[in-house]
Amino acid sequence: SLKTLIRAMVDDSGKKRAASDGSERAAQRGRKGASRPNILVTGTPGTGKTEVSAAIAGRLEMRHVNVGEVAQRLEAYDGWDEARGCHILNEDAVVDELEAVAGSQGGCVVDYHACDFFPERWFDLVLVLRAKTDVLFDRLTARNYAPSKVAENVQCEIMQVLLDEARESYPAEIVVELRNETRDDLDSILDRVARWHEQWRLDHPAD
């Protein structure tokens, strides 16, 4: 079942967390009329969300939705954050834009470094990518991030901000924490998600 597969994914990641008493919801949360599941990939900048999301979408023939690119196309910004050196996302505009595909059709792998503003009903699986701080430091430095921005994101990872945000925003039984530091990690993630996807399809046969 989906419940068993998700538990196995959590166990494999080394972060065993018991599913809640209502974990049967994981196998019953398909959106009305949707024939494909939606997956959210989130995590601190530098954990490899875009690479993982694109790889999942390619393997499972799903649509990769990079929220940063959507915001850029729509110019969906509420200003500029001087302290962080980045745009302030207009979350409502992004949600409105994605509602037609993520909200009803399904088949999307959504990729963003925040997760608490998406409708909870959109997602059937939430992957929170993690990386050791030295790996994260090297990746962010290679992107030419300012030292203050590197330090902020490393601290965010240490404090597991995105993991806590995901756990507060979605049912515990669909949130999975996964390490993504090496090619072997990526291959493992793809295999696990492929198994989960196959089980989802078995549990949600086309009408």
Side-chain angles (χ1 to χ4, degrees):
S1 69
L2 278 176
K3 179 173 66 175
T4 301
L5 264 179
I6 291 177
R7 280 177 172 170
M9 290 173 70
V10 174
D11 289 349
D12 286 347
S13 73
K15 300 292 183 180
K16 298 183 180 181
R17 296 170 54 241
S20 69
D21 291 340
S23 60
E24 289 78 7
R25 288 180 298 167
Q28 301 172 347
R29 52 185 292 103
R31 293 158 313 289
K32 185 176 181 180
S35 59
R36 302 290 303 277
N38 284 329
I39 300 170
L40 173 62
V41 181
T42 190
T44 306
T47 52
K49 296 179 298 297
T50 299
E51 179 184 27
V52 169
S53 298
I56 291 172
R59 178 157 173 175
L60 301 181
E61 298 183 343
M62 298 174 73
R63 175 179 178 177
H64 176 205
V65 179
N66 183 314
V67 172
E69 292 179 355
V70 172
Q72 185 175 27
R73 173 171 55 82
L74 298 175
E75 297 185 354
Y77 305 122
D78 285 333
W80 179 260
D81 187 328
E82 291 289 349
R84 291 182 169 84
C86 64
H87 287 101
I88 300 169
L89 185 70
N90 183 327
E91 298 172 354
D92 290 340
V94 169
V95 170
D96 288 346
E97 175 71 10
L98 297 181
E99 174 63 37
V101 288
S104 57
Q105 295 177 15
C108 293
V109 182
V110 179
D111 151 23
Y112 197 54
H113 60 260
C115 63
D116 60 349
F117 66 92
F118 299 114
E120 181 269 342
R121 60 184 167 80
W122 279 6
F123 299 109
D124 305 280
L125 181 66
V126 177
L127 303 179
V128 183
L129 302 184
R130 305 296 306 276
K132 294 178 182 177
T133 55
D134 58 335
V135 173
L136 201 64
F137 180 90
D138 290 344
R139 289 175 178 175
L140 296 177
T141 300
R143 295 182 185 180
N144 295 317
Y145 276 28
S148 60
K149 193 170 182 179
V150 172
E152 180 182 15
N153 282 299
V154 168
Q155 183 68 20
C156 179
E157 183 69 359
I158 292 171
M159 301 298 292
Q160 65 178 40
V161 172
L162 267 298
L163 179 61
D164 289 344
E165 183 177 301
R167 288 173 174 170
E168 292 169 1
S169 303
Y170 301 95
E173 67 269 14
I174 72 167
V175 177
V176 181
E177 177 186 5
L178 294 171
R179 184 72 56 183
N180 182 43
E181 297 171 351
T182 67
R183 178 68 208 190
D184 286 345
D185 289 339
L186 175 58
D187 290 342
S188 176
I189 290 170
L190 293 178
D191 289 343
R192 295 177 195 177
V193 175
R195 291 195 298 270
W196 174 88
H197 182 261
E198 180 60 26
Q199 186 63 52
W200 191 96
R201 294 179 65 184
L202 291 173
D203 290 349
H204 298 80
D207 295 333

